[in-house]
Amino acid sequence: MIKKGLIIFAILIGLATLYAYMTQYPMIPIGAGYAAKKMCTCHFVAGMSQEQIQEEDLTSIPGTTSVIDEEAKTVTSTVYGMGSRTAVYRKNIGCVLLQGEDDYQVHLDLPEVEKNMTAEWPLGESVVNHSMEGVDYAALDQAIDAIFDPSLDMDSMKTRAVVVVYKDTLIAEKYANGVDENTELLGWSMNKSIVGTLVGIMVKDGKMSLEDDHLFEEWTDERQNIRLVDLLHMHSGLAFNEDYGALSDVNKMLFLSEDMVKDVIQYPLETAIGTKWSYSSGTTNLIAGLIKKEFTTQKEYLAFPHERLFRKIGMHSMVLETDESGNYIGSSYGYATARDWAKFGLLYLNVGNWFGDQIIDTSWVDFVRQATKQSGGLYGGQFWHNQDHVAYEDVPSDLFSCNGFEGQYVFIIPSKDLVVVRLGLSKDIDRNAFLRDIIRATSGNETNQSAS
């Protein structure tokens, strides 16, 4: 009887193991791809050690093992020894996650830029500690300290960097252990706002229009009626599953696709165009594909963000990564220092003007500052919003922001002349209280009751 029971138990264990294998194995190449790409960029772009990346950035993917080849500049990762995936580092485009053999050999050569080390930030790299009238620096420090773990490690709140810019002046910054003002940090979906800005430049050049339709030749059905503005507002009606915890559209796109634009073009309509807001990384990568169509060569396309945006505003650390075929992964993969992310916010705080150079038209800034009604006041033009205080009750309703997975934020608050950057590995912070307290610390005798 005991022997029979053991046999039944062994069978049940075997069936459970087989079930777990069959259901979870499809996720293993995705987890290994995530690990390879994260390890590669954090190491070769941000300069972090393998130990730090493994202990801080890859805790959500158990069982990962990575091998770094310093000479070939590659990282190969597995999950419990399975699903081997490789990412390769390339100067100016970061790390490319390969789907088998490297069929495209994408490279980008850019002329070197000599940074101005003497001019004061944001026009140069020198940061001067000003004492600005009306700023309560003790209260400001307290507000910033409140979202860092006391150990300055990645324990609970997992904040890595905060930068506060008030009236075009960097008035406060703080960093966790293992990172500093020179560390390039991943923006995740903050890059959607970068892509939106590149569209704004194209619109300024007369090469694109919000009302453009018939966007892809593959769309011969009702999808030909999708306009560029529908994509920017995330109410195109296209099917796309943004669930990061499953074998979803977004995971297959980011970690199993050789050509993300080509793959996402195939998705059908799920709802009527313009009727439902549905947040979609696939949509932003389609927009990146539309930008690519405006160039005759891949080199021109890849150089465009650097020549027309990053170098114009001094975001010299910015690295936008591509898929294997050379499409910018505009939905997710871009790295920059916290100070450079703040420069991007400052461009919008100053209505698209970078100290005399109108990078994007004021009309474009007006467009992205308006939330689409389908989002309930939360989203529009590849930026997040606070219309009617829908996101932050104690923060002015004119706030708009770049938001990214794991709590990446560039907050722009025009009525308070503020840009606030927070980068980290968790969104489990009280953003409302954080912003409220920074506003109070920089508003002199004002109170937050005056928030519009």
Side-chain angles (χ1 to χ4, degrees), residues 23-254:
T23 57
Q24 295 303 312
Y25 180 77
M27 289 296 292
I28 287 175
I30 290 174
Y34 177 95
K37 188 159 176 55
K38 199 79 182 288
M39 180 69 73
C40 183
T41 312
C42 287
H43 182 67
F44 289 111
V45 174
M48 297 181 184
S49 70
Q50 182 171 0
E51 181 182 19
Q52 180 185 1
I53 301 162
Q54 189 68 43
E55 292 181 354
E56 297 180 356
D57 294 79
L58 296 179
T59 56
S60 62
I61 312 291
T64 61
T65 301
S66 298
V67 176
I68 299 176
D69 186 327
E70 297 286 355
E71 184 176 353
K73 296 190 182 302
T74 63
V75 172
T76 299
S77 299
T78 58
V79 176
Y80 296 114
M82 297 181 288
S84 178
R85 301 294 304 282
T86 297
V88 56
Y89 169 76
R90 303 248 171 81
K91 188 176 181 181
N92 298 319
I93 57 172
C95 288
V96 176
L97 182 62
L98 302 179
Q99 311 299 326
E101 295 295 322
D102 187 358
D103 299 322
Y104 295 88
Q105 295 287 327
V106 177
H107 289 80
L108 174 61
D109 294 322
L110 291 171
E112 296 294 329
V113 174
E114 186 175 345
K115 297 179 182 179
N116 188 331
M117 304 304 295
T118 57
E120 188 173 341
W121 192 96
L123 295 178
E125 304 302 315
S126 175
V127 174
V128 179
N129 294 321
H130 291 283
S131 181
M132 295 187 68
E133 184 178 354
V135 176
D136 184 337
Y137 284 93
L140 181 60
D141 290 342
Q142 186 175 5
I144 294 171
D145 290 345
I147 67 161
F148 276 83
D149 291 298
S151 66
L152 293 183
D153 288 328
M154 299 295 99
D155 295 332
S156 175
M157 288 177 281
K158 299 185 179 182
T159 299
R160 273 183 160 161
V162 168
V163 169
V164 180
V165 180
Y166 178 54
K167 296 183 177 180
D168 295 351
T169 301
L170 198 162
I171 61 169
E173 61 184 333
K174 184 170 182 174
Y175 300 93
N177 291 330
V179 302
D180 59 26
E181 69 274 13
N182 298 310
T183 305
E184 293 94 338
L185 297 172
L186 178 58
W188 285 116
S189 287
M190 293 203 303
N191 299 285
K192 292 180 171 69
S193 303
I194 297 284
V195 170
T197 303
L198 297 177
V199 174
I201 295 171
M202 284 288 189
V203 170
K204 183 174 183 287
D205 289 348
K207 295 181 178 179
M208 301 177 84
S209 166
L210 290 175
E211 298 302 317
D212 286 344
D213 56 14
H214 292 73
L215 300 175
F216 296 99
E217 61 182 20
E218 293 88 347
W219 289 356
T220 57
D221 53 13
E222 191 179 350
R223 292 174 298 172
Q224 65 187 335
N225 297 317
I226 296 173
R227 301 167 300 161
L228 177 57
V229 68
D230 297 318
L231 296 177
L232 289 163
H233 276 162
M234 299 282 191
H235 54 50
S236 68
L238 291 170
F240 194 84
N241 183 335
E242 191 78 11
D243 180 5
Y244 286 86
L247 189 62
S248 61
D249 296 335
V250 68
N251 279 332
K252 288 187 288 186
M253 177 187 71
L254 291 177

Side-chain angles (χ1 to χ4, degrees), residues 186-437:
L186 178 58
W188 285 116
S189 287
M190 293 203 303
N191 299 285
K192 292 180 171 69
S193 303
I194 297 284
V195 170
T197 303
L198 297 177
V199 174
I201 295 171
M202 284 288 189
V203 170
K204 183 174 183 287
D205 289 348
K207 295 181 178 179
M208 301 177 84
S209 166
L210 290 175
E211 298 302 317
D212 286 344
D213 56 14
H214 292 73
L215 300 175
F216 296 99
E217 61 182 20
E218 293 88 347
W219 289 356
T220 57
D221 53 13
E222 191 179 350
R223 292 174 298 172
Q224 65 187 335
N225 297 317
I226 296 173
R227 301 167 300 161
L228 177 57
V229 68
D230 297 318
L231 296 177
L232 289 163
H233 276 162
M234 299 282 191
H235 54 50
S236 68
L238 291 170
F240 194 84
N241 183 335
E242 191 78 11
D243 180 5
Y244 286 86
L247 189 62
S248 61
D249 296 335
V250 68
N251 279 332
K252 288 187 288 186
M253 177 187 71
L254 291 177
F255 304 111
L256 299 178
S257 178
E258 190 173 76
D259 185 331
M260 297 185 191
V261 176
K262 180 180 178 181
D263 289 349
V264 179
I265 283 175
Q266 309 305 318
Y267 281 80
L269 281 177
E270 185 175 54
T271 59
I273 299 167
T275 61
K276 180 183 178 181
W277 180 76
S278 182
Y279 185 77
S280 163
S281 290
T283 294
T284 303
N285 287 334
L286 286 179
I287 297 171
L290 290 173
I291 294 172
K292 188 177 184 178
K293 287 174 61 178
E294 297 298 323
F295 295 92
T296 56
T297 68
Q298 181 162 268
K299 180 181 178 181
E300 291 174 313
Y301 163 68
L302 293 177
F304 170 64
H306 297 273
E307 293 173 348
R308 295 297 302 278
L309 178 59
F310 304 144
R311 292 189 171 187
K312 291 274 189 179
I313 66 173
M315 287 184 74
H316 299 303
S317 68
M318 188 72 199
V319 174
L320 274 184
E321 295 184 317
T322 73
D323 64 17
E324 187 181 324
S325 70
N327 298 303
Y328 276 126
I329 310 174
S331 65
S332 311
Y333 278 109
Y335 285 73
T337 64
R339 289 179 180 179
D340 278 0
W341 283 116
K343 289 179 182 178
F344 182 68
L346 194 57
L347 173 67
Y348 274 91
L349 186 69
N350 289 324
V351 201
N353 189 286
W354 190 257
F355 300 91
D357 188 357
Q358 196 70 41
I359 307 295
I360 45 178
D361 283 338
T362 58
S363 59
W364 186 261
V365 179
D366 291 339
F367 165 69
V368 304
R369 286 186 60 182
Q370 298 300 313
T372 178
K373 64 180 180 181
Q374 288 87 345
S375 74
L378 276 173
Y379 198 85
Q382 305 288 289
F383 282 81
W384 292 86
H385 295 273
N386 191 37
Q387 182 178 301
D388 299 325
H389 306 279
V390 67
Y392 310 105
E393 62 180 350
D394 297 318
V395 180
S397 60
D398 67 340
L399 173 146
F400 61 114
S401 63
C402 321
N403 294 12
F405 177 62
E406 294 184 314
Q408 324 308 323
Y409 303 100
V410 177
F411 299 106
I412 306 150
I413 313 176
S415 62
K416 300 300 180 182
D417 221 342
L418 273 170
V419 171
V420 180
V421 173
R422 185 273 183 179
L423 303 169
L425 294 174
S426 171
K427 62 181 180 180
D428 293 334
I429 57 172
D430 189 337
R431 286 163 280 165
N432 179 72
F434 171 59
L435 293 171
R436 178 200 65 204
D437 293 346

